[in-house]
């Protein structure tokens, strides 16, 4: 009979192979007994398995009866990272079971792509490379009509969770003035990070570059619309990295089409996108097919995060690496399920 | 009769309009009398003009006779920024006339483009945007087969003048391990900047990304050749930002063509480049048509630099903003003249 | 009838005047109705008052009956900052009532004093000033026999909560190698902060300066003892900033008396300390009478913190500024009550 | 016959043992032939020795005849670090012989002491330790009546050479607003270092702490006088680290005596100071007997600096580590000779 704590593994749409490196996978099995199953099977596992399980990796649907049987449960590691309302969260929180998400692993890769896209919009190197391939390049200053620097510029960040912070860190060498709009963060927290708290109007109208890294919530669907883009500086750059739902995408395309702003986006109203969608050929718009976060190294960091938090929980300490779902906000998050890794 | 100090202006291939903002131009004229002429005319200006001139903006050819007449000369502001051996430098230095270059203004724009190109090579967003335009994009992790992070990676910088330092500053948020090869810099100076001094072999073989920002000198023509590229890590990125002369360009293309490394370059063996040059269509190679430095804001900073140093020199202090030509190295620099701004 | 939310205020040993600036106090009263009473009275307030109260400022003793009546309670702001087990925490947590502490305001003042004491131990400027007053000073290098730099040195930090982080931030300009021991923090969290995770033995034996900023818990009473000090480098500095309980104070004094290490402490086994306590005259030991944190500015930041978190809680969001008590650790904290501000 | 380059060593008041570590001393002798003599003997050494010498370590008096014989001389390493006008500098510069000083090694130790003294003035830990020894200590907030933070405060720095920069670096973790007055530095250089250029009046009147790190020149003797101190904020701290000559010391003591400001100084009008000098017992004044820079590690860095620059000069490159004397300013420096190390 094993002395190891039991872990139920149902990580779809991820897999253990995706999120654990070979070394981490070995450590996982050395420290824990792993019971692997499909997410939909978890609620109907035997009383014994449910009763012994200390952790769940995944976000299986659970009803009250199943939860009641999960007597040893300390933490649900939601590696999908969006929260579905598929379990009785009130009771989960009442019992002090942690529900944690591992989406912070995507912050660094998304921030790097975001900075790259911002530099590209500032210097047009994608378009310039295309012209070069075709023998139509402009040399030196002749090709730099609209070129500008990020260094010393004014930058706006909308949303200051893990991703906003990662982005701000990458910007630290640019000596830029960074303003942040995040209604869920106290002003002093923002100031402590070296950024200036601001309302969304100021961020939009006073920035040379605006990064949108806000999570989708029940309150911010489409909150960046036609007037938002109109209020931006002529020639400014708008970079959308989190969720398409927070912007009025048609209005964004119109603002770019009119030449008022330039834009880049990693997310789209539908994914995959229709082959005839007009954004595909819109000049002044850089397109990335939801590739910002999904790097192998990011997925592997999920496994590391799970192992580090399990080690804390095993010692009777609260988890610190993954982000806890909160009673107050669990029902306000509105991201769509992940359908591909 | 004016009490203002006299400045001879012959800044070609720049112009006063290029390098001075409106405000700076106004300040220049308020503080100094400006005598404008062609560079080739300077040596034959009247004894009076030569005798009164405190500063020259430009790099006019001067012989010993003209220099002897420039009795009040304190500083030559070489705004072309490459040094030609078109004046008797020995005598210039003997008399304590400063010769200064303003090329440092290009460091920040070049570093920003360099970082952008590096992020592009790491994430292939130029190629991905092209595929997206054509309806062939790969979504999410499917498109990230070769994607990698700069954060936490190993980065090599070859040359650590103004440009290398600007690049290192931009990298400060990436928590990368940065190694530098620069035979003209003491090891302790490099360590004080937070980078690790290394020989060129180590920089090439131990980096995920290599930036070449070394000035061309009489000693480093073509010093990065076939063996250099072969010694690099499989899949590493090579980014050439300073002068094409320091690399064997054919060998670089071969290394990219073979799939051993990826590369980006802002400089080319001939500029403009032949329409049938094979680099134009080489996959794995990003091309920029010498656009890295030539931003309007950079040129305008030249004028600011000139004004700040003139103010110091007017007080009897040495110049501090522009970079001094040195007796020891003036004849070792080997950049080609600038033919366009 | 007021529409304002009700706050029960019983902040002893603090007072509203201590923790709120005039402006913050005004804002508090504008936004909330404040019911002020003694801590021991809270449990027996009228059902109406208890039923309406959204927040408690203070840490009053509460029994199950009182808690049951506190039907609207969202958060207890424990401004004493040590947690007493004077309320049914299980039920508090079950109901999702937040209990938060405001001790983080002390981190910056304590860190500044700690750095000052470390610089003093490195350069002996307190002792040197005394000699100077007496006409016995040694000039220049003659007085620097044991002087050393913090810059570039090896520094150990034991405990990496708010205080350890504040200290590490202050040290950022010193280019030191910083190792941290904190069994409650994952290694990757420490690495992300730029410090090296290490066990306590390594921190003690490989540091030129050791800062102890660990909270007292049920597990670390006296864990730094005779062997710990013996393992330190000859001449190293030991600086105690958090709680006297974590060290064997006699052993610490012996190590200083023997000339093996030098030390400074802001905390003592009894406070106030007996007039004949030998530490008062121990050479090589700097004494501070628990003055590290108790700055007016720190207390005033408590009030700001309370206001910012109330604003979040009013919006239905979780608090972010003050630190939450955790189910897992609430019973493991072991600091003594504060008896003076 | 040796192939090694010849070095004349006359480093008084330093000695080779003082400025070279064992390893550096070994390297020096491996690479060079060292001819050791007294400074006053150098000018009369044999034609052969003078003719062969590539470097001089020291600052010996030289007349035109001796200089003419020093045909191979490339660099004079002035390790005293103050420049005396004891050689024909015009001819030295005309010939392109570098004269370099090594005083930058003192910047880091002086900055660390300066920061320590500033923290002490802010928190009175020297006086508090004295009271503690005498059993008169005040506990907690009772002892913190005048305590304040450097973090987030306004700091002024007068002089922004190596020492000012080192100080600013140490302050980087304090998130302070730093204003700098330095008439020899362009405003943009200061801004690039993250500080705000200001005139001396603003620095004095708008700072909570003022550091004076300006070199003594022919223009700034006693430039900080009675009105300067009167213009400072009530309770502000004045810390003198460079040269006593730049302040009116009587006026400084009066301002402290009146309780208007507090002060610390490492330098005094006479050194050593009379036993009955009133500063010895002046409350509110911290005294350090010119101990700020004279650390063994600083002297040893002089030797490292000399070796690194010799290596550059041997390659035909200009020196980069030690600071060059400048034609324009050599006669404007006014520091007294060093009489002790």
């Amino acid at each position: 009979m094993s002395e190891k704590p039991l872990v139920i593994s149902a990580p779809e749409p991820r897999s253990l192979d995706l999120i654990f490196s070979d070394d981490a996978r070995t450590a996982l099995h050395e420290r824990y007994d792993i019971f692997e199953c499909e997410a939909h099977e978890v609620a109907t596992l035997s009383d014994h398995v449910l009763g012994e399980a200390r952790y769940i990796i995944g976000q299986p649907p659970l009803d009250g009866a199943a939860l009641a049987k999960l007597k040893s449960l300390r933490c649900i590691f939601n590696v999908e990272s969006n929260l579905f309302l598929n379990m009785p969260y009130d009771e989960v929180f009442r019992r002090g079971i942690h529900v944690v998400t591992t989406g912070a692993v995507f912050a660094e890769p998304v921030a790097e792509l975001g900075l790259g896209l911002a530099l590209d919009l500032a210097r047009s190197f994608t378009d310039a490379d295309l012209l070069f391939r075709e023998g139509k390049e402009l040399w030196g200053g002749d090709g730099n009509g609209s070129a500008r620097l990020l260094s010393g510029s004014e930058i706006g960040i909308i949303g200051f969770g893990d991703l906003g912070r990662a982005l701000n860190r990458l910007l630290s060498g640019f000596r830029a003035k960074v303003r942040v709009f995040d209604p869920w963060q106290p002003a002093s927290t923002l100031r402590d990070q070296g950024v200036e708290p601001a309302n969304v109007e100021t961020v939009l109208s006073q920035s040379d570059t605006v990064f949108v890294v806000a999570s989708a919530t029940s309150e911010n669907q489409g909150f960046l619309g036609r007037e938002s883009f109109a209020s931006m500086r002529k020639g400014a750059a708008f970079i959308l990295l989190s969720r398409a739902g927070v912007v009025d995408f048609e209005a964004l395309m119109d603002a770019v089409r009119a030449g008022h702003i330039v834009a880049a986006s990693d997310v789209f109203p539908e994914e995959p996108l229709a082959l005839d969608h007009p954004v595909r050929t819109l000049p002044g718009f850089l397109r990335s097919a939801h590739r910002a976060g999904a790097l192998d190294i990011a997925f592997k960091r999920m496994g590391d995060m799970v192992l580090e938090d399990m080690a804390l929980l095993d010692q009777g300490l609260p988890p610190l690496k993954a982000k806890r779902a909160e009673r107050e906000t669990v029902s306000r998050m509105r991201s769509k399920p992940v359908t591909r890794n």
Side-chain angles (χ1 to χ4, degrees), chain A residues 250 253 257 273-283 287:
Chain A
E250 287 299 319
M253 286 192 295
R257 197 175 287 120
L273 199 66
L275 285 177
D276 61 352
H277 195 285
V279 79
R280 290 188 179 275
T281 54
L282 181 59
R287 294 141 289 249

Side-chain angles (χ1 to χ4, degrees), chain A residues 104-114 292-295 297-298 301:
Chain A
V105 299
F106 298 126
E108 197 166 80
V110 175
E112 287 202 8
L113 185 75
L295 269 66
I297 192 173
R301 285 177 182 174

